[in-house]
Amino acid sequence: MSLKYHLDTFVDNFPKERHLVNDPVQFVRLYADPADREVVGLIASAFAYGNVRIVLKTVRTALGYLGGSPVRTIASFNPRTDTRRLQGFYHRFNTSRDLAVLLWIIRRTLEQYGSLQAAFSSGLSPQDPDTTSALDRFCGTLLGFGHEQFYPRGELKKRIGVRFFFPNPAQGSACKRLNLYLRWMVRPEDGIDCGVWTTVAPRQLVIPLDTHIARISGYIGLTDMRTPGWRMAQDITQSLRSLHYDDPLRYDFALCHLGIAGDCPKKRNLQKCAQCPIVEICRL
């Protein structure tokens, strides 16, 4: 049977709700207002790196500063006076200052464009095959509001700071967290993704490439590339687009969480592999 048949069957039977508790998109789904959802999504995805348990704790803490209406809180946020409210916040190499400047960048984007969707879509054409150019422009826009003014002199030379949240394809980055954010916003409501944005087509999305997706994609023949980066993300996405042109990322959540849950081993494990729902298409 075909790769498409096995992957479609896998996705259609994957227990999404069980795995939602280990995914930061759960925080986006706590808010009903689309304006809050797109802001919360950007914050949650920004810190979606490292151990899952710690990621969830970090996002919960960050959102706790914003109350019941994140958009309303951010509308008046000023890093010069409000950073002290975030004192003690820390996630690996990102500090409370980075969170404060991120909130300010979101505020400035909303002031200038009205929404994060409008800011992103300003760099996207319906004819674009994917989001490469739009992501480059989006990151440039958000980092162009003068964030340097909020850091002590020399600090940005020593640390990545808020710039870590906004890598771009032009530099070869896989942009995993931003692509994750776009998936949450763009794909139709399905109990996981939220369908908040309507100006980006699901077919234009690029897969959020992490170690799990890179590894499993190699196992099942979605890519022969070995070096993670934007080109690999595009290559995997193109393979998925050949299976489902209008919605290639429908496979992402299930494949990623197969790895996160530890159900897909890095080396062949007879017991685990025998229970794997996609073992028939695996080349491991």
Side-chain angles (χ1 to χ4, degrees):
M1 294 184 183
S2 69
L3 176 65
K4 176 175 172 56
Y5 171 83
H6 285 290
L7 283 181
D8 283 341
T9 301
F10 168 57
V11 171
D12 291 342
N13 292 282
F14 191 75
K16 296 185 294 186
E17 296 78 9
R18 188 197 311 166
H19 291 271
L20 180 60
V21 297
N22 290 318
D23 196 290
V25 73
Q26 64 182 276
F27 297 104
V28 183
R29 302 189 63 81
L30 294 176
Y31 298 84
D33 187 339
D36 284 326
R37 280 189 164 193
E38 70 164 8
V39 164
V40 169
L42 186 57
I43 296 169
S45 62
F47 294 104
Y49 67 96
N51 178 273
V52 171
R53 180 180 57 83
I54 296 175
V55 167
L56 299 180
K57 180 181 178 181
T58 293
V59 176
R60 188 177 293 110
T61 299
L63 297 178
Y65 298 121
L66 301 180
S69 178
V71 167
R72 189 177 304 166
T73 302
I74 288 173
S76 59
F77 191 88
N78 186 333
R80 296 198 188 283
T81 57
D82 295 331
T83 301
R84 62 181 180 274
R85 289 164 42 194
L86 313 180
Q87 189 172 4
F89 177 87
Y90 190 81
H91 182 68
R92 297 189 70 182
F93 47 79
N94 282 124
T95 66
S96 59
R97 187 186 306 278
D98 299 330
L99 174 58
V101 178
L102 174 62
L103 299 181
W104 178 80
I105 286 174
I106 294 173
R107 172 189 168 179
R108 290 288 297 112
T109 306
L110 296 179
E111 289 173 344
Q112 183 159 323
Y113 290 90
S115 70
L116 293 171
Q117 175 179 206
F120 185 84
S121 299
S122 68
L124 183 72
S125 165
Q127 286 72 45
D128 288 343
D130 64 28
T131 56
T132 302
S133 297
L135 264 176
D136 279 330
R137 178 167 176 172
F138 185 67
C139 291
T141 295
L142 270 59
L143 288 174
F145 289 119
H147 64 280
E148 299 89 350
Q149 64 186 294
F150 299 111
Y151 288 90
R153 181 175 298 179
E155 182 173 348
L156 286 177
K157 294 181 180 180
K158 300 176 183 177
R159 297 179 52 253
I160 299 176
V162 77
R163 292 176 302 189
F164 176 74
F165 301 138
F166 304 110
N168 58 65
Q171 297 174 339
S173 172
C175 302
K176 175 252 181 176
R177 289 163 295 126
L178 285 171
N179 281 329
L180 186 63
Y181 172 59
L182 292 176
R183 197 201 83 203
W184 294 347
M185 295 297 104
V186 173
R187 286 200 68 249
E189 166 66 52
D190 65 351
I192 299 295
D193 297 322
C194 303
V196 176
W197 289 5
T198 58
T199 57
V200 183
R203 63 173 173 76
Q204 294 177 299
L205 296 175
V206 175
I207 200 164
L209 181 66
D210 63 5
T211 56
H212 303 295
I213 290 295
R215 180 167 53 84
I216 295 173
S217 293
Y219 292 170
I220 63 177
L222 295 176
T223 185
D224 290 320
M225 299 181 70
R226 298 296 183 89
T227 304
W230 187 254
R231 288 186 61 223
M232 177 187 277
Q234 286 182 307
D235 190 47
I236 294 170
T237 304
Q238 186 57 37
S239 294
L240 294 175
R241 199 175 281 126
S242 70
L243 305 181
H244 200 298
Y245 178 78
D246 291 329
D247 188 15
L249 266 57
R250 73 182 300 264
Y251 305 100
D252 177 59
F253 182 86
L255 287 173
C256 183
H257 278 272
L258 189 68
I260 290 174
D263 294 331
C264 180
K266 295 180 180 179
K267 296 182 179 180
R268 178 166 285 279
N269 179 307
L270 293 180
Q271 182 177 1
K272 285 190 175 182
C273 291
Q275 298 173 351
C276 178
I278 54 172
V279 64
E280 293 187 48
I281 55 174
C282 182
R283 305 186 301 189
L284 178 61

